[in-house]
Amino acid sequence: MTELLPLIPESWDVKKPLIIAGPCSAETEEQVISTAKDLAANGIKIFRAGIWKPRTKPGGFEGIGEEGLAWLMRVKEETGMKTATEVATHAHVEAAAKADVDMFWIGARTSANPFMMQEIADAIQAVGAQDKPVLVKNPVNPDLELWIGALLRLYNAGVRHLGAIHRGFSAYGKHLYRNLPQWRIPIELRRRYPNLPIISDPSHMGGKRELVGPLSQMALDMGFDGLIIESHCDPDCAWSDKGQQVSPDVLNFILSTLVMRNENVTTENLTLLRQEIDRLDNEIIETLAKRMEVSRDIGQYKKEHHMPILQAQRYDTILSSRVKLAQEMGIGGEFMRIVYSAIHEESVRQQIDVFNQHN
């Protein structure tokens, strides 16, 4: 993706950070128009609404369908806003393009399926919609390569106004967030493709309206390029995802409280601190190398005494004690679990190499 154009054409006259807002679902014409007018009055330039809604189980509201596209056209006519909707099939792309929807986004379930992504890419090419901005949500599972693959399929189809949406990743069990942020994944995407815009979706990430503001600030602090937020004229009566939607007035308040970081400030004064980080990183690597030497010695002892490599009880003890110590020192417990899981995996690999060596 070396020849990307700006996500938003200059003619749209949209300021940074990019803000896309609107209801989870287009429910009624009155609801769509009312929400759009309130958002437009607060300066929002791009209106989002789901026309087709993928549901986990049958029986739920699966979107109003093509009827809602006429409502989006009315939004454009009466407010001057650009419009955006999710597409998941060739038929969706064809219908949305015919209704002159300005922007498409690809959902998390769709981006996880290469067959569906190729169908959408082919459809965009077939209807001549390559000049429209297209945003791709991260797959439901934390797989960066799958996310990049989805983006590349669109790029190869000629889409150049291309961006990514970070909406978090599904996880089993109860958590603070509906979808875990796992910030390291979009950060790695930014490292590989520094010119690719990344938009944050705090609505789906948090799953609760009270988390929209804090997550929005986190995303801006990370240097992300914008936000896509669900906003409904009457959130508590929404037909889908009502708990994570905010009213236009609340959205306006959230946006007014966000701190925009200055990307043009020189980093010269950080030189000494960065040198200290480099020194500490070198110490960490040297210490890890010494630790792996000890792991190999342990592997040699286990081999000579016919002991199994994996000692589950020992690992559980190490993990719990290291996590507790880290938390006492102000380091996140989940972070330390990830770190020690990786260290343990490498330690086991080192011992396997010892076992495979011939005497």
Side-chain angles (χ1 to χ4, degrees):
M1 293 183 284
T2 58
E3 300 177 356
L4 289 175
L5 297 173
L7 176 62
I8 302 302
E10 290 185 9
S11 60
W12 286 24
D13 190 28
V14 176
K15 297 179 180 179
K16 294 183 178 180
L18 174 66
I19 305 296
I20 304 169
C24 173
S25 304
E27 301 163 358
T28 67
E29 187 170 10
E30 180 183 6
Q31 168 247 4
V32 167
I33 301 303
S34 174
T35 304
K37 287 184 175 180
D38 287 345
L39 291 170
N42 290 334
I44 304 299
K45 301 288 187 180
I46 304 176
F47 180 80
R48 58 140 291 155
I51 299 297
W52 302 277
K53 299 298 299 180
R55 310 304 295 174
T56 302
K57 297 178 180 178
F61 176 60
E62 297 184 339
I64 201 69
E66 289 191 31
E67 177 186 356
L69 293 173
W71 308 341
L72 295 186
M73 294 176 70
R74 186 180 162 194
V75 167
K76 292 179 64 171
E77 293 171 0
E78 297 187 14
T79 69
M81 300 173 80
K82 300 297 183 181
T83 56
T85 198
E86 179 178 352
V87 293
T89 68
H90 188 289
H92 292 172
V93 172
E94 190 171 11
K98 186 177 180 181
D100 198 26
V101 173
D102 299 287
M103 173 186 283
F104 301 152
W105 81 78
I106 315 298
R109 291 179 175 89
T110 306
S111 64
N113 188 323
F115 293 113
M116 295 176 71
M117 282 306 309
Q118 191 59 52
E119 178 181 331
I120 293 170
D122 292 343
I124 288 174
Q125 193 170 42
V127 302
Q130 299 99 315
D131 61 336
K132 292 184 182 292
V134 182
L135 294 166
V136 181
K137 290 193 175 186
N138 61 256
V140 290
N141 49 314
D143 188 332
L144 177 59
E145 301 306 325
L146 200 56
W147 196 3
I148 292 173
L151 289 158
L152 285 174
R153 289 178 187 276
L154 294 168
Y155 182 83
N156 292 340
V159 177
R160 292 296 180 267
H161 299 286
L162 190 61
I165 296 177
H166 173 228
R167 51 79 83 182
F169 302 88
S170 298
Y172 184 75
K174 292 184 178 181
H175 302 274
L176 172 61
Y177 302 116
R178 176 180 177 183
N179 295 292
L180 301 183
Q182 300 204 41
W183 297 104
R184 67 185 185 280
I185 296 176
I187 289 172
E188 175 62 14
L189 179 65
R190 170 58 53 85
R191 187 190 69 80
R192 295 199 202 179
Y193 300 97
N195 295 326
L196 178 72
I198 302 180
I199 309 299
S200 178
D201 180 353
S203 302
H204 282 90
M205 199 180 305
K208 305 179 185 72
R209 59 178 64 111
E210 60 267 26
L211 294 176
V212 170
L215 284 168
S216 296
Q217 186 64 65
M218 289 182 202
L220 295 182
D221 291 345
M222 293 284 182
F224 290 2
D225 301 276
L227 306 166
I228 180 168
I229 298 176
E230 292 188 342
S231 181
H232 190 292
C233 59
D234 189 2
D236 289 331
C237 294
W239 296 0
S240 58
D241 286 348
K242 64 181 181 180
Q244 67 191 38
Q245 300 193 63
V246 297
S247 69
D249 286 344
V250 170
L251 175 62
N252 193 44
F253 173 77
I254 290 172
L255 296 178
S256 70
T257 62
L258 295 178
V259 178
M260 307 302 173
R261 304 303 177 186
N262 189 347
E263 297 179 359
N264 298 318
V265 175
T266 178
T267 59
E268 184 177 352
N269 292 334
L270 294 176
T271 300
L272 292 177
L273 291 174
R274 286 175 170 172
Q275 289 175 352
E276 181 68 3
I277 286 288
D278 292 341
R279 184 186 67 78
L280 291 169
D281 283 347
N282 289 338
E283 287 185 7
I284 290 171
I285 293 171
E286 290 172 1
T287 301
L288 285 173
K290 292 176 182 177
R291 191 186 195 281
M292 294 309 158
E293 288 181 11
V294 176
S295 291
R296 288 193 292 271
D297 291 342
I298 291 174
Q300 185 63 42
Y301 183 90
K302 290 177 179 177
K303 179 180 180 180
E304 293 173 355
H305 292 80
H306 306 289
M307 297 171 63
I309 290 176
L310 187 61
Q311 305 285 323
Q313 187 173 0
R314 165 67 178 164
Y315 174 56
D316 288 342
T317 301
I318 289 176
L319 185 61
S320 60
S321 64
R322 287 2 175 221
V323 167
K324 181 180 179 181
L325 178 61
Q327 290 175 322
E328 291 173 354
M329 299 179 71
I331 300 175
E334 183 60 29
F335 165 75
M336 191 51 61
R337 287 187 186 91
I338 294 171
V339 168
Y340 263 89
S341 176
I343 291 174
H344 180 256
E345 184 177 335
E346 175 63 15
S347 181
V348 168
R349 189 190 69 79
Q350 295 278 351
Q351 294 185 37
I352 289 174
D353 285 348
V354 171
F355 269 55
N356 289 335
Q357 290 173 0
H358 297 291
N359 293 330

